Amino acid sequence: MQNLKQQWFSNIRADILSGIVVALALIPEAIAFSIIAGVDPMVGLYTSFIIAVVISFAGGRPGMISAATGAMALLMVPLVKDYGLDYLLAATILTGIIQLIFGICKVAKVMKFVPNAVMIGFVNALAILIFTAQLEHFIGISTMTYVFVGITLILLYTLPRFIKVIPAPLIAIVALTSIAIFSGVNLKTVGDLGTITQTFPSFFIPDVPWSFETLQIILPYSLSMAIVGLLETLLTSQIVDDMTGTESNKNGEARGQGIANFITGFFGGMAGCAMIGQSVINVKSGGRGRLSTFIAGIFLMFLIIVLGDLVVQIPMPVLVGIMIMVSIGTFDWSSFKYLMKAPRTDALVMLATVVIVVYTHDLSKGVLAGVLLSAIFFVIKISTVKISNKGNRYSIHGQLFFASIDGFVNYFKKADIQSEKIQIDFSGSRIWDDSGVGAVLKVVELLKTKGIQVELIELDTSSKKIMDKLNGVLSSH
Amino acid sequence: MYKHILLASDGSENAVRAAKEAVKLASYDKESIIDVIYVIDYEKSKTDVLHANSSEAIDVERRKKNSKVIQFLQEENANFKTTILRGKPGPEIVRYANDQEVDIIVIGSRGLNTLQEMVLGSVSHKVMKRAHCPALIVK
């Protein structure tokens, strides 16, 4: 782990430049995610400013970008719709508290138990939901809308071939917004969906009754957001670790996310988390230190103050085009290969995660179901005992414990053994508990009554230990 | 002759063919060393992390990918070392070659057609254009 001075100031020039690039790329996403959540674009912009600045101090993964995200925005839709913005702010504060507690309780270790089938399902479901959230903004509105979405997409995918310094989304926004303004075509703009205020966020306490009833309303949302936020954050930090070839403090990052969300809630912001796409852009642009994240936040605020008037004029189809690109970038395209090649149960877990999320519009439910399903598959797999027979030797493959012994005992109940002496080979097995020992003794006695003598061979040290211990107890009767 | 030979490897058959030529070049001078460069592409980080259970598992996967070239060099008893870089393959190879002032770059060509080259970009072509030392492109 580097010291704090290195984390801040070892890469100043590149960090400042990459921070600026990220700030430019953050604007359309912050606006689009606000629209998904059903709040004013200002909420997402304030969020991105505050979270980026706070996490640059409080986070555990230098160079990672956190801000308003799609995963979180999708979770808060029903809360905003039914109860309004203030409840969202309260829920954001609670999300921060929960994440802080999770971080103190070393949540990173628990997150390791989320299998990658679930994580693949998570990003795919997220991509699908971000995409479907765009449909209402361009399907069946006008021909010009389709044209602008199309042109935006073409620009986004061809420009990076020729212009590498300025992010393509920014060029597309500037070019197409000016064309839209000067040609006077009738397109919906960001301004139609909310207002931009060119002021700094200010501190205020959300206007909700601070009662048990309020807690009951916001707690389920806060819990989902806390889990989903940490999941995406830890995934992102692993990606940044891999890209930079460095390590990071995962529990520190979880605490930092908590602090960032807690503070954001008091400044009119919605819960956010780390962003895969933006963090990748940051690292690619040379960002490595905490300074890059800090600059991203500060420069974003500067842009809002300076360019607020222009931001409201961005045509929605351009924003939609950018979000389609974001969803394409979020989707894990190697999933199709994965579906063909991965173990069937893993593929099923991945699909189940996607289907449940898309059906419920709730990433946390999909993740929970995916984890449960893979846990069940794991138990089934581990509690299956196979027995192979060669001459007088019966080889056990699998673990012997309370859940797996039935298959083992039944095999010998049914087996048609001709010889008077057999060997049971435990080299591919291990006895874990009393039930395992009991099952072995049961089989030995069962075969004895049939006049067959059993020799247990190749028991490993720990199995032998548990056998001897219990054998002593049993034979002393 | 060439003392510091940079062998750019992506672990493919092309890289093994390039390795053969690198070994030939190295045979002229007993002191020469083949520096096997393997670039971890930024674009693949997300996929690799998603599909592996741990950073250790990713490391094993990548070693496996480069194993054909390493195996070949071991069989040939070549004097070599491996260097892992991170970033965009073309520019990273060029930067390393120029920083380390290597004597020659040996790199395999994927043999793309014109259209593929336009879309994907030819790494070997970029390396040849921008490196300050001679480059041997192996077909």
Side-chain angles (χ1 to χ4, degrees), chain A residues 84-251:
Chain A
L85 178 63
D86 281 293
Y87 278 82
L88 170 61
L89 304 183
T92 298
I93 294 167
L94 185 58
T95 302
I97 295 170
I98 295 171
Q99 289 181 325
L100 188 60
I101 295 170
F102 279 179
I104 292 167
C105 298
K106 310 248 184 287
V107 70
K109 215 173 178 179
V110 182
M111 292 287 181
K112 283 219 153 191
F113 285 96
V114 179
N116 36 13
V118 175
M119 288 316 295
I120 298 168
F122 177 90
V123 295
N124 289 343
L126 176 61
I128 293 168
L129 289 186
I130 291 176
F131 180 79
T132 50
Q134 306 311 313
L135 296 179
E136 59 172 307
H137 298 295
F138 79 99
I139 297 287
I141 293 178
S142 66
T143 317
M144 273 324 268
T145 306
Y146 290 117
V147 172
F148 266 71
V149 172
I151 296 173
T152 306
L153 281 168
I154 292 168
L155 286 178
L156 291 176
Y157 283 101
T158 52
L159 282 176
R161 299 244 143 260
F162 310 106
I163 304 165
K164 294 197 170 22
V165 192
I166 312 166
L170 183 74
I171 305 174
I173 285 180
V174 172
L176 292 176
T177 305
S178 355
I179 291 174
I181 292 172
F182 291 117
S183 67
V185 286
N186 188 19
L187 293 170
K188 257 194 171 176
T189 63
V190 171
D192 295 334
L193 292 161
T195 48
I196 298 281
T197 39
Q198 287 161 281
T199 51
F200 280 101
S202 55
F203 177 89
F204 65 94
I205 293 168
D207 182 22
V208 294
W210 295 87
S211 63
F212 184 69
E213 217 187 331
T214 307
L215 184 70
Q216 272 184 316
I217 294 167
I218 62 174
L219 185 62
Y221 290 101
S222 298
L223 210 54
S224 307
M225 291 197 287
I227 293 168
V228 168
L230 288 180
L231 210 57
E232 189 174 357
T233 299
L234 291 176
L235 174 64
T236 311
S237 67
Q238 283 168 10
I239 293 170
V240 176
D241 286 358
D242 185 59
M243 288 179 82
T244 56
T246 55
E247 285 179 5
S248 62
N249 179 354
K250 306 281 188 293
N251 289 312

Side-chain angles (χ1 to χ4, degrees), chain A residues 112 116 119-120 123 161 164 235 238-239 242-245 276 283-284 288 329-332 334 338, chain B residues 40 42-56 58 62 86-88 118-121:
Chain A
K112 283 219 153 191
N116 36 13
M119 288 316 295
I120 298 168
V123 295
R161 299 244 143 260
K164 294 197 170 22
L235 174 64
Q238 283 168 10
I239 293 170
D242 185 59
M243 288 179 82
T244 56
I276 299 173
V283 175
K284 269 192 192 167
R288 292 289 181 279
T330 302
F331 197 87
D332 175 49
S334 58
Y338 179 82
Chain B
I40 295 169
Y42 277 163
E43 304 292 338
K44 299 215 173 87
S45 264
K46 187 185 136 199
T47 318
D48 287 352
V49 169
L50 266 178
H51 288 264
N53 283 315
S54 63
S55 54
E56 289 78 8
I58 300 175
R62 287 177 182 151
R86 289 179 152 79
K88 278 185 87 170
M118 207 173 82
V119 180
L120 299 170

Side-chain angles (χ1 to χ4, degrees), chain A residues 229-428:
Chain A
L230 288 180
L231 210 57
E232 189 174 357
T233 299
L234 291 176
L235 174 64
T236 311
S237 67
Q238 283 168 10
I239 293 170
V240 176
D241 286 358
D242 185 59
M243 288 179 82
T244 56
T246 55
E247 285 179 5
S248 62
N249 179 354
K250 306 281 188 293
N251 289 312
E253 181 60 40
R255 294 195 299 274
Q257 291 286 328
I259 296 167
N261 279 325
F262 180 77
I263 294 175
T264 306
F266 284 110
F267 284 89
M270 62 197 216
C273 64
M275 313 176 82
I276 299 173
Q278 299 290 342
S279 302
V280 169
I281 291 176
N282 191 37
V283 175
K284 269 192 192 167
S285 312
R288 292 289 181 279
R290 291 177 181 275
L291 187 64
S292 61
T293 314
F294 180 78
I295 294 289
I298 294 290
F299 196 70
L300 172 70
M301 198 62 226
F302 168 78
L303 288 170
I304 300 164
I305 301 286
V306 178
L307 303 172
D309 289 337
L310 295 171
V311 169
V312 290
Q313 309 209 38
I314 299 173
M316 276 308 290
V318 179
L319 206 56
V320 166
I322 293 171
M323 293 319 289
I324 291 174
M325 180 192 74
V326 168
S327 68
I328 290 171
T330 302
F331 197 87
D332 175 49
W333 293 96
S334 58
S335 296
F336 297 105
K337 209 168 92 191
Y338 179 82
L339 280 179
M340 310 298 280
K341 284 195 173 165
R344 293 300 81 198
T345 50
D346 285 1
L348 197 66
V349 167
M350 198 274 266
L351 279 178
T353 307
V354 173
V355 169
I356 290 166
V357 173
V358 172
Y359 182 72
T360 61
H361 278 244
D362 188 333
L363 282 156
S364 62
K365 284 191 184 123
V367 168
L368 211 63
V371 170
L372 278 176
L373 195 60
S374 56
I376 292 167
F377 283 140
F378 181 71
V379 169
I380 291 173
K381 189 174 143 197
I382 199 118
S383 60
T384 309
V385 175
K386 285 198 185 112
I387 299 163
S388 60
N389 168 230
K390 207 175 180 189
N392 286 339
R393 178 179 284 217
Y394 291 79
S395 302
I396 316 298
H397 307 279
Q399 314 299 318
L400 280 184
F401 66 111
F402 65 92
S404 69
I405 49 177
D406 283 355
F408 170 73
V409 175
N410 284 338
Y411 177 87
F412 286 101
K413 264 188 193 162
K414 287 179 196 150
D416 179 28
I417 301 170
Q418 300 299 336
S419 56
E420 287 173 4
K421 201 174 171 208
I422 64 160
Q423 287 181 322
I424 300 182
D425 179 356
F426 285 90
S427 57

